[in-house]
Amino acid sequence: MVKNPLQGITELKFIYYNLYMMNQSKPICGVNDVEVQWDECDLSNLPPLVDPNTVSMISHGKFSKYNEEDLPTTFRDTDGNEHLISDITMYKSSKRY
């Protein structure tokens, strides 16, 4: 008997790196059965993505430490509407190939 590994997953979990990359790539997100394009979420209260004290000639540096409670809970779409990040059910590239 094969069990579905996705059974029981109720929401996607995003870490700081995911939110940073989504601000860069602006994907299409499924939110409450509607597709919207991500525009931005406010990451200004978080430290830089890479700790500047760990960058050297031979290393790109380490990710900064942060508290999960400090991550934003909402994002803004390209129409200016605000959505909860926890309502995202899927996301895909906004680029056409």
Side-chain angles (χ1 to χ4, degrees):
M1 179 174 186
V2 177
K3 290 187 175 184
N4 183 355
L6 300 178
Q7 188 174 14
I9 295 178
T10 57
E11 67 181 48
L12 298 173
K13 181 176 180 176
F14 296 99
I15 60 174
Y16 182 22
Y17 178 77
N18 297 124
L19 299 177
Y20 179 84
M21 293 307 293
M22 290 173 91
N23 272 352
Q24 303 298 314
S25 64
K26 309 213 182 294
I28 304 295
C29 299
V31 179
N32 299 330
D33 298 330
V34 177
E35 288 190 352
V36 297
Q37 185 168 8
W38 181 289
D39 188 31
E40 67 169 346
C41 70
D42 184 19
L43 301 175
S44 62
N45 64 337
L46 293 167
L49 183 63
V50 176
D51 184 355
N53 298 326
T54 61
V55 177
S56 69
M57 292 290 288
I58 56 172
S59 173
H60 293 290
K62 295 181 179 180
F63 289 119
S64 296
K65 300 212 182 298
Y66 64 92
N67 294 322
E68 282 194 33
E69 303 87 45
D70 295 338
L71 290 175
T73 57
T74 60
F75 75 97
R76 211 174 276 290
D77 66 19
T78 52
D79 294 331
N81 301 320
E82 202 163 288
H83 305 277
L84 290 173
I85 293 174
S86 61
D87 288 344
I88 296 175
T89 55
M90 72 86 183
Y91 63 96
K92 62 184 178 182
S93 174
S94 60
K95 297 187 182 346
R96 296 190 140 196
Y97 296 102

